[in-house]
Amino acid sequence: MEDRAAVQEQIKTQGEVVRKLKAEKADKDTISEEVAKLLDLKAKLGDDGPSKKFVLKCPKGTRDYNPQQMSIREGVFNTIISCFKRHGAETIDTPVFELKEILTGKYGEDSKLIYDLQDQGGELLSLRYDLTVPFARYLAMNKITTIKRYHIAKVYRRDNPAMTRGRFREFYQCDFDIAGQFDAMLPDAECVKIVAEILTQLDIGEFKIRVNHRKLLDGMFSACGVPDDKFRSICSAVDKLDKTFWEDVRAEMVDEKGLSPEAADRIGHFVKFSGGISTLEELLKDEGLSKSKLAVEGLEELKLLLTYCDLYKISDKVVFDLSLARGLDYYTGVIYEACLQGYANKPVSASSGGSGEEEESVSVGSVAGGGRYDGLVGMFDAKGKKVPCVGVSIGIERIFAIMEQRAMASNTKIRTTDTEVYVVSAQKHLVEHRLKLCQELWDADIKTEQSYKKNPKALDQFQYCETNGIPIAVILGQSEIENNCVTMRNTNTRAERKVSREDLIEEIRKELISIKSS
């Protein structure tokens, strides 16, 4: 171990660095990194001190959620799950970690973001990066060739987090996938339809779903003179066009990935194309693309997809965009990405380094993405048997970042429980009667609470109802007990009426319906 005095001196110096950054109101991620260094230095001192002082913080790229935030999240999850079920999906679950070899080589340049675990009992393991590769492993392992499933679970990426943009190291994904041999574009169009349904129902603003095709991209790269072995790396570069300028993407292609300037310029011509069916027909007439079988197949399938989207009445939300690439290696066909119009990432030039001002407001860009991956299951099958698949993933954390900021801005009170009735004691020594009444209401599946004090003050109980938004108070006093009734109070209007115990359950349900409709 290093000399204790030397470590203490390093801690003092690092502490000054952290204090200076905080005083200058530096970027949160920068401060977090320097705080982490300070904690590492403090850890070197061990437990020699008189008492151990904990630094209470969440690990970098993670966060806690309070009851108000969880209430918003649950509402979003319920909306998404109801949509998945409306389209006939069943659900599965898979382990949070996989054998490392299952995940290796499936994510292109993003493979460096996989969290590896230490050797556990002779197995090399990694935390799952997404829910798609585990799904493909599940299909191959169980010899499943047809399924429509959804899966909502946490995934992990050793990314550089940007918390205000909803980018974390631990986060939820909400996936919907259709596996099986079906006619062209029918499952694909339904996935696009599901994205449109969910984003419309969540009402988080105007959005566009950009669509493209991996066959068209590969055909375009071939027509532009990109060598076969550079297709995936050039695809990853094109995928950055929504975050940076063409000049920077071109520089990456030429200077870092060795593409000829002529080929890069030809790509620059094509990635500007976007629109509808007429744009696709224009590209079909292009001399270079029309000679590529892959490009023609991609264009024809995209025309069919847009036709189906029109029948689903979402054509105003869907746009063909030849600059959309999606960097993951496993995509083989149609790809799509939903972006919020009011929250799109502003391109930042690599030369400028960015101003950092984006962090001051929610800027999320893509909130859903997916595509067709017909070859992924075959990678895990001993005989290479392919199972065609298409799916979509909803970026729940990015959506939540917007909804949380909106709730804070509106100062709207958010209910954190679903309690419908609060049983109130009007006098002392009625705790046993309260317990019996709570039991009756719970048996009737009415969400009910009461005070945990034997003799609570009536005013405190009514205040609890108002503070927590509990719509109905059922009041018990000696006269109510003698007359076998209760007093039912509408918390919002404070209107009260007597209700017999025999009719109480029915009257509560009627009152709840009336409150919800008002």
Side-chain angles (χ1 to χ4, degrees), residues 15 64 67 89 93 99 127 210 213 220 238 242 258 271 291 319 322 387 397 409 412 418 475 482 490:
D64 293 323
D93 197 11
L99 295 176
L127 293 175
R210 302 156 63 215
H213 203 296
M220 177 193 76
V238 172
D242 64 330
V271 294
K291 294 176 183 177
V319 60
L322 195 40
V387 177
E397 305 295 348
T412 304
D418 292 333
I475 305 164
E482 291 171 358
N490 182 311

Short mmCIF file of all heavy atoms in Angstrom, two decimals, residues 15 64 67 89 93 99 127 210 213 220 238 242 258 271 291 319 322 387 397 409 412 418 475 482 490:
data_model
loop_
_atom_site.label_atom_id
_atom_site.label_comp_id
_atom_site.label_asym_id
_atom_site.label_seq_id
_atom_site.Cartn_x
_atom_site.Cartn_y
_atom_site.Cartn_z
N GLY A 15 -9.44 16.70 -3.58
CA GLY A 15 -10.58 17.41 -2.98
C GLY A 15 -10.68 18.83 -3.49
O GLY A 15 -11.77 19.35 -3.74
N ASP A 64 -31.75 6.61 -8.36
CA ASP A 64 -32.91 6.16 -7.61
C ASP A 64 -34.15 6.86 -8.18
O ASP A 64 -34.05 7.91 -8.83
CB ASP A 64 -32.79 6.54 -6.13
CG ASP A 64 -31.67 5.80 -5.42
OD1 ASP A 64 -31.45 4.61 -5.75
OD2 ASP A 64 -31.01 6.40 -4.56
N PRO A 67 -41.23 8.01 -5.13
CA PRO A 67 -42.59 7.54 -5.44
C PRO A 67 -43.28 8.32 -6.56
O PRO A 67 -44.01 7.73 -7.37
CB PRO A 67 -43.32 7.72 -4.11
CG PRO A 67 -42.26 7.55 -3.07
CD PRO A 67 -41.03 8.19 -3.68
N ALA A 89 -49.28 -10.09 -28.08
CA ALA A 89 -47.97 -10.59 -27.63
C ALA A 89 -48.08 -11.28 -26.28
O ALA A 89 -48.89 -10.91 -25.43
CB ALA A 89 -46.97 -9.45 -27.55
N ASP A 93 -39.03 -13.96 -19.88
CA ASP A 93 -37.95 -13.32 -19.14
C ASP A 93 -36.68 -14.13 -19.34
O ASP A 93 -36.74 -15.34 -19.58
CB ASP A 93 -38.29 -13.23 -17.65
CG ASP A 93 -37.41 -12.22 -16.92
OD1 ASP A 93 -36.69 -11.46 -17.60
OD2 ASP A 93 -37.44 -12.19 -15.67
N LEU A 99 -23.70 -15.87 -20.95
CA LEU A 99 -22.33 -16.26 -21.26
C LEU A 99 -21.73 -15.21 -22.18
O LEU A 99 -22.39 -14.75 -23.13
CB LEU A 99 -22.31 -17.63 -21.94
CG LEU A 99 -22.78 -18.82 -21.09
CD1 LEU A 99 -22.80 -20.08 -21.95
CD2 LEU A 99 -21.89 -19.01 -19.88
N LEU A 127 -23.02 -8.82 -18.46
CA LEU A 127 -24.38 -8.30 -18.30
C LEU A 127 -25.00 -8.08 -19.68
O LEU A 127 -24.31 -7.66 -20.61
CB LEU A 127 -24.37 -6.98 -17.53
CG LEU A 127 -23.94 -7.07 -16.06
CD1 LEU A 127 -23.86 -5.67 -15.47
CD2 LEU A 127 -24.88 -7.93 -15.25
N ARG A 210 -38.50 7.27 -38.85
CA ARG A 210 -37.64 7.16 -40.04
C ARG A 210 -37.44 5.69 -40.36
O ARG A 210 -37.19 4.88 -39.46
CB ARG A 210 -36.30 7.85 -39.79
CG ARG A 210 -36.41 9.31 -39.41
CD ARG A 210 -35.19 9.79 -38.63
NE ARG A 210 -33.98 9.69 -39.42
CZ ARG A 210 -32.79 9.38 -38.92
NH1 ARG A 210 -32.65 9.09 -37.63
NH2 ARG A 210 -31.73 9.33 -39.69
N HIS A 213 -33.55 0.48 -45.10
CA HIS A 213 -33.42 -0.96 -45.34
C HIS A 213 -31.93 -1.29 -45.44
O HIS A 213 -31.18 -0.63 -46.16
CB HIS A 213 -34.14 -1.34 -46.63
CG HIS A 213 -34.55 -2.77 -46.71
ND1 HIS A 213 -33.64 -3.81 -46.72
CD2 HIS A 213 -35.78 -3.35 -46.78
CE1 HIS A 213 -34.30 -4.96 -46.82
NE2 HIS A 213 -35.59 -4.70 -46.84
N MET A 220 -26.27 0.44 -51.84
CA MET A 220 -25.75 1.79 -52.04
C MET A 220 -24.24 1.83 -51.82
O MET A 220 -23.49 2.41 -52.62
CB MET A 220 -26.43 2.77 -51.08
CG MET A 220 -25.90 4.20 -51.16
SD MET A 220 -26.43 5.23 -49.78
CE MET A 220 -25.37 4.65 -48.46
N VAL A 238 -22.18 6.28 -40.85
CA VAL A 238 -23.40 6.92 -41.36
C VAL A 238 -24.43 7.06 -40.25
O VAL A 238 -25.20 8.04 -40.19
CB VAL A 238 -23.98 6.09 -42.54
CG1 VAL A 238 -25.36 6.63 -42.95
CG2 VAL A 238 -23.03 6.15 -43.74
N ASP A 242 -27.32 11.75 -37.44
CA ASP A 242 -28.34 12.49 -36.70
C ASP A 242 -27.74 13.23 -35.51
O ASP A 242 -28.42 14.02 -34.85
CB ASP A 242 -29.47 11.56 -36.23
CG ASP A 242 -28.98 10.52 -35.23
OD1 ASP A 242 -27.80 10.15 -35.32
OD2 ASP A 242 -29.78 10.10 -34.38
N GLY A 258 -10.31 4.59 -43.76
CA GLY A 258 -9.59 4.30 -45.00
C GLY A 258 -10.44 4.24 -46.25
O GLY A 258 -10.03 3.65 -47.25
N VAL A 271 -27.20 9.93 -49.05
CA VAL A 271 -27.79 10.03 -47.71
C VAL A 271 -28.67 11.26 -47.54
O VAL A 271 -29.34 11.40 -46.51
CB VAL A 271 -26.69 10.03 -46.61
CG1 VAL A 271 -25.97 8.70 -46.57
CG2 VAL A 271 -25.71 11.19 -46.79
N LYS A 291 -28.72 -1.25 -60.77
CA LYS A 291 -27.92 -2.41 -61.15
C LYS A 291 -27.64 -3.33 -59.96
O LYS A 291 -27.12 -4.43 -60.13
CB LYS A 291 -26.58 -1.95 -61.74
CG LYS A 291 -26.73 -1.21 -63.07
CD LYS A 291 -25.37 -0.70 -63.55
CE LYS A 291 -25.52 0.10 -64.85
NZ LYS A 291 -24.21 0.68 -65.28
N VAL A 319 -41.47 8.30 -42.49
CA VAL A 319 -40.73 8.89 -43.60
C VAL A 319 -39.51 8.03 -43.93
O VAL A 319 -38.80 7.56 -43.03
CB VAL A 319 -40.29 10.34 -43.26
CG1 VAL A 319 -39.40 10.37 -42.03
CG2 VAL A 319 -39.58 11.00 -44.43
N LEU A 322 -32.68 7.78 -46.15
CA LEU A 322 -31.52 6.97 -46.55
C LEU A 322 -30.30 7.20 -45.66
O LEU A 322 -29.33 6.46 -45.72
CB LEU A 322 -31.17 7.23 -48.01
CG LEU A 322 -30.24 6.26 -48.75
CD1 LEU A 322 -30.53 4.81 -48.39
CD2 LEU A 322 -30.33 6.47 -50.23
N VAL A 387 -34.27 -18.32 -38.14
CA VAL A 387 -35.64 -17.97 -37.76
C VAL A 387 -35.81 -16.48 -38.04
O VAL A 387 -35.21 -15.65 -37.33
CB VAL A 387 -35.92 -18.26 -36.27
CG1 VAL A 387 -37.34 -17.82 -35.90
CG2 VAL A 387 -35.73 -19.74 -35.96
N GLU A 397 -36.44 5.18 -20.88
CA GLU A 397 -35.76 6.18 -20.04
C GLU A 397 -35.80 7.56 -20.69
O GLU A 397 -35.92 8.57 -20.03
CB GLU A 397 -34.31 5.76 -19.79
CG GLU A 397 -34.13 4.37 -19.17
CD GLU A 397 -34.71 4.25 -17.77
OE1 GLU A 397 -35.05 5.29 -17.17
OE2 GLU A 397 -34.83 3.12 -17.28
N ALA A 409 -42.46 20.90 -14.36
CA ALA A 409 -42.77 22.24 -14.86
C ALA A 409 -44.21 22.64 -14.58
O ALA A 409 -44.51 23.81 -14.35
CB ALA A 409 -42.48 22.30 -16.36
N THR A 412 -47.98 19.81 -11.21
CA THR A 412 -49.16 18.98 -11.00
C THR A 412 -48.88 17.97 -9.90
O THR A 412 -47.83 17.32 -9.89
CB THR A 412 -49.52 18.22 -12.29
OG1 THR A 412 -49.71 19.16 -13.34
CG2 THR A 412 -50.79 17.40 -12.11
N ASP A 418 -52.80 4.12 -5.11
CA ASP A 418 -54.11 3.97 -5.76
C ASP A 418 -55.23 3.85 -4.74
O ASP A 418 -56.34 3.42 -5.07
CB ASP A 418 -54.11 2.71 -6.65
CG ASP A 418 -53.20 2.85 -7.85
OD1 ASP A 418 -52.98 3.99 -8.28
OD2 ASP A 418 -52.70 1.82 -8.34
N ILE A 475 -66.51 7.35 7.38
CA ILE A 475 -66.36 7.80 8.76
C ILE A 475 -67.19 6.92 9.69
O ILE A 475 -68.38 6.66 9.44
CB ILE A 475 -66.83 9.27 8.89
CG1 ILE A 475 -66.05 10.14 7.89
CG2 ILE A 475 -66.63 9.77 10.32
CD1 ILE A 475 -66.68 11.50 7.66
N GLU A 482 -74.13 2.36 16.08
CA GLU A 482 -75.45 2.02 16.66
C GLU A 482 -76.52 1.88 15.58
O GLU A 482 -77.44 1.07 15.69
CB GLU A 482 -75.87 3.09 17.67
CG GLU A 482 -75.01 3.08 18.94
CD GLU A 482 -75.28 4.28 19.83
OE1 GLU A 482 -76.13 5.15 19.43
OE2 GLU A 482 -74.66 4.38 20.91
N ASN A 490 -67.00 12.74 0.23
CA ASN A 490 -66.22 13.01 -0.97
C ASN A 490 -65.10 13.98 -0.58
O ASN A 490 -65.37 15.11 -0.19
CB ASN A 490 -67.12 13.62 -2.06
CG ASN A 490 -66.38 13.87 -3.36
OD1 ASN A 490 -65.30 14.46 -3.37
ND2 ASN A 490 -66.98 13.45 -4.47
#
